[in-house]
């Protein structure tokens, strides 16, 4: 019974270690979607000058905070009433 408990103990500590390692790796990555741009705010240097395009990028957890901005063009509809040759108003 002692060997089984020791083996389960090792498995438990190993899975906790893998979970912490996976969480740390996930915190180091951030994505910028298509049509967006990103900048990073650093605790020590403020906003960095580099603008990040779409894709996956690295950051230092708890020290750098990414922000994404939508840079896609949006259509603007401008309505105006005009008259035709026979003086009917159309939009």
């Amino acid at each position: 019974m002692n060997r089984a408990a020791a083996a389960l103990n090792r498995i438990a500590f190993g899975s906790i270690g893998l979970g912490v390692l996976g969480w740390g790796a996930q915190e180091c990555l951030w994505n910028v979607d298509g049509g967006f741009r990103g900048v990073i705010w650093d605790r020590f240097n403020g906003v960095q000058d580099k603008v990040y395009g779409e894709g996956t990028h690295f950051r230092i957890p708890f020290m750098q905070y990414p922000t994404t901005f939508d840079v896609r063009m949006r259509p603007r509809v401008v309505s105006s009433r005009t008259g035709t040759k026979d003086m009917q108003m159309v939009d």
Side-chain angles (χ1 to χ4, degrees):
M1 196 69 149
N2 197 9
R3 277 187 173 182
L8 286 175
N9 228 0
R10 271 189 250 124
I11 291 172
F13 283 124
S15 63
I16 290 172
L18 283 175
V20 169
L21 185 67
W23 175 79
Q26 181 183 5
E27 286 295 312
C28 289
L29 299 175
W30 65 289
N31 290 327
V32 178
D33 296 328
F36 288 81
R37 296 294 178 263
V39 294
I40 288 186
W41 181 80
D42 193 347
R43 281 187 190 262
F44 300 114
N45 301 326
V47 178
Q48 294 181 353
D49 290 334
K50 184 174 180 184
V51 176
Y52 294 91
E54 57 188 63
T56 302
H57 306 283
F58 292 102
R59 72 179 185 101
I60 302 170
F62 308 112
M63 188 180 276
Q64 295 178 333
Y65 299 96
T67 304
T68 57
F69 295 98
D70 187 5
V71 294
R72 293 178 288 188
M73 295 182 68
R74 295 184 187 94
R76 175 174 283 186
V77 178
V78 178
S79 63
S80 64
R81 296 186 61 86
T82 58
T84 61
K85 286 183 181 180
D86 57 354
M87 294 302 179
Q88 291 181 353
M89 299 303 286
V90 293
D91 286 327

